[in-house]
Amino acid sequence: MKPRILVSREVFDETLALLAEHFDVESNQTDQRFSADELAARLADKQAAVISTSDRIDAALLDRCPGLKAVCNVGVGYNNIDVPACTSRGVMATNTPGVLTDSVADYTFGLVIATCRRVTEGEHYLRDGQWKGTYLKQMLGQDVHGATLGIFGLGRIGQAVAKRAAGFDMNVLYHNRSPLDAATEKTFNASYRTKEALLRESDIVVLLTPYSAESHHMIGAAELALMKPSAVLINVARGGIVDDAALIEALKARRIWAAGMDVYENEPALNPGFLGLKNVVLSPHLASASEPTRKAMANTAARNCIAALTTGAPPNLLNPEARR
Ligand code: DGY
């Protein structure tokens, strides 16, 4: 008998076909997110799960699923998984690094340009029938080329953003928990700054830090107050890294010039304060959403799942100590 697995959200046919070669697959192709209770109930008789980053895997769920051996996230960020709780129960946890790097970096740049050059505001103006002709001071924005770009989190995706910044003649600053080696800094032409110095000096601040207890509200009122009044903040990392209420206040008061947001605290719920603001570009967690990349993410998660239950050595294992 084939092992039983759950696919918790809609995936591509090719992903299901890959999984079906090895497993008896129950899949949620209606793509309605399961409640915590329903997810636990459906996983109770499964050996593995291919899950989305909006499914929470915690100790309470794991205690209801004693046969579970692997949870395979379709996504690189894994703050939805309590990895220590998985490890202590012998459950392997995996993610999908690498396959989405360039798509997320492309999107980050798109959001930088859309925000600095007021692209979506211009579209709304046009669609609302407000355009009566072009004039010199119409919808003036900030330049991207030649600007100082401050990147929080110069990891894989941050480095791909820095590579794109070189084409725009930007001055790249970064902040990580500790500075990178000199050769890497040279490759990306990036200079290390403290958190405070990066906020003070940057024209555009991009957040690419993983979410954790440590990065929760890493950007709040105090940090926004350090930024230039002409500065732009871009969050493509995770909701909760920015204190959204504090950002809304700063945008309203024009303490910073604008923001571009792809992720939110408590998403898919959105702080309604964003909706009345013209100086924010909003998108619904789309940074990795190109068709080839989303296919690569789903298929990578599927391969992790197959390897977890066949060889016990999935390529993107987050907790090698969990192998049993
Ligand atoms: C990720 O991979 O973490 C993206 O944010 C998609 O959820």
Side-chain angles (χ1 to χ4, degrees), residues 53 74-77 96 100 237-238 285 288 294 297:
T53 54
V74 181
V76 65
T96 63
L100 44 69
R238 274 291 180 271
H285 205 144
S288 63
R294 286 282 167 92
M297 289 164 69

Side-chain angles (χ1 to χ4, degrees), residues 183-217:
T184 309
E185 285 190 348
K186 197 166 169 224
T187 304
F188 297 101
N189 204 9
S191 310
Y192 182 81
R193 290 290 188 278
T194 62
K195 175 181 170 183
E196 291 73 22
L198 183 142
L199 289 167
R200 275 195 201 97
E201 290 178 43
S202 301
D203 300 309
I204 299 162
V205 173
V206 169
L207 304 175
L208 288 163
T209 313
Y211 180 79
S212 65
E214 200 189 326
S215 63
H216 179 75
H217 283 191

Side-chain angles (χ1 to χ4, degrees), residues 52-54 73-79 96 100 104 157 236-238 262-263 267 285-289 294 297:
S52 91
T53 54
S54 53
N73 230 18
V74 181
V76 65
Y78 55 88
N79 55 299
T96 63
L100 44 69
V104 174
I157 299 172
V236 280
R238 274 291 180 271
D262 188 46
V263 289
E267 66 182 54
H285 205 144
L286 289 179
S288 63
R294 286 282 167 92
M297 289 164 69

Side-chain angles (χ1 to χ4, degrees), residues 3-314:
R4 303 201 69 206
I5 70 154
L6 177 74
V7 177
S8 74
R9 299 292 293 269
E10 186 174 15
V11 290
F12 301 92
D13 289 348
E14 64 187 57
T15 314
L16 284 180
L18 199 60
L19 289 164
E21 285 175 26
H22 301 266
F23 307 126
D24 176 2
V25 182
E26 177 183 328
S27 84
N28 174 19
Q29 292 297 297
T30 59
D31 202 26
Q32 292 299 312
R33 182 175 160 187
F34 291 135
S35 66
D37 193 47
E38 189 169 6
L39 184 61
R42 286 179 185 268
L43 280 176
D45 63 345
K46 306 292 185 305
Q47 291 183 29
V50 172
I51 57 166
S52 91
T53 54
S54 53
D55 294 317
R56 175 104 196 110
I57 304 292
D58 57 15
L61 176 140
L62 292 168
D63 286 343
R64 290 175 61 184
C65 311
L68 203 61
K69 294 194 177 114
V71 286
C72 305
N73 230 18
V74 181
V76 65
Y78 55 88
N79 55 299
N80 57 312
I81 303 177
D82 182 339
V83 177
C86 287
T87 307
S88 64
R89 290 162 180 79
V91 176
M92 290 176 267
T94 66
N95 69 340
T96 63
V99 293
L100 44 69
T101 303
D102 283 311
S103 294
V104 174
D106 290 349
Y107 196 88
T108 303
F109 241 86
L111 208 47
V112 165
I113 294 172
T115 308
C116 289
R117 299 300 307 275
R118 304 170 69 169
V119 174
T120 53
E121 188 188 345
E123 184 180 350
H124 287 132
Y125 177 82
L126 195 73
R127 286 182 188 269
D128 291 348
Q130 293 186 55
W131 193 33
K132 303 286 182 262
T134 192
Y135 56 94
L136 193 68
K137 290 189 178 176
Q138 189 171 34
M139 237 170 248
L140 302 178
Q142 307 288 341
D143 270 327
V144 175
H145 70 270
T148 295
L149 175 70
I151 302 175
F152 278 103
L154 197 66
R156 248 196 222 101
I157 299 172
Q159 292 176 6
V161 170
K163 242 164 82 180
R164 285 154 179 77
F168 283 76
D169 297 325
M170 297 175 92
N171 171 32
V172 179
L173 309 178
Y174 78 98
H175 179 78
N176 282 7
R177 240 182 289 174
S178 35
L180 296 166
D181 59 88
T184 309
E185 285 190 348
K186 197 166 169 224
T187 304
F188 297 101
N189 204 9
S191 310
Y192 182 81
R193 290 290 188 278
T194 62
K195 175 181 170 183
E196 291 73 22
L198 183 142
L199 289 167
R200 275 195 201 97
E201 290 178 43
S202 301
D203 300 309
I204 299 162
V205 173
V206 169
L207 304 175
L208 288 163
T209 313
Y211 180 79
S212 65
E214 200 189 326
S215 63
H216 179 75
H217 283 191
M218 185 182 103
I219 303 294
E223 289 74 21
L224 292 161
L226 295 176
M227 293 173 68
K228 299 177 186 181
S230 56
V232 164
L233 178 73
I234 304 291
N235 188 8
V236 280
R238 274 291 180 271
I241 293 178
V242 175
D243 175 344
D244 286 354
L247 175 61
I248 289 164
E249 284 315 305
L251 289 169
K252 262 191 204 154
R254 292 273 176 182
R255 278 196 290 280
I256 69 167
W257 192 76
M261 305 287 285
D262 188 46
V263 289
Y264 310 88
E265 280 192 282
N266 313 314
E267 66 182 54
L270 186 69
N271 187 321
F274 280 123
L275 297 175
L277 296 175
K278 285 194 172 162
N279 55 342
V280 64
V281 175
L282 305 168
S283 64
H285 205 144
L286 289 179
S288 63
S290 74
E291 189 171 333
T293 291
R294 286 282 167 92
K295 278 190 176 157
M297 289 164 69
N299 293 345
T300 299
R303 283 189 206 101
N304 280 325
C305 187
I306 294 162
L309 294 193
T310 53
T311 66

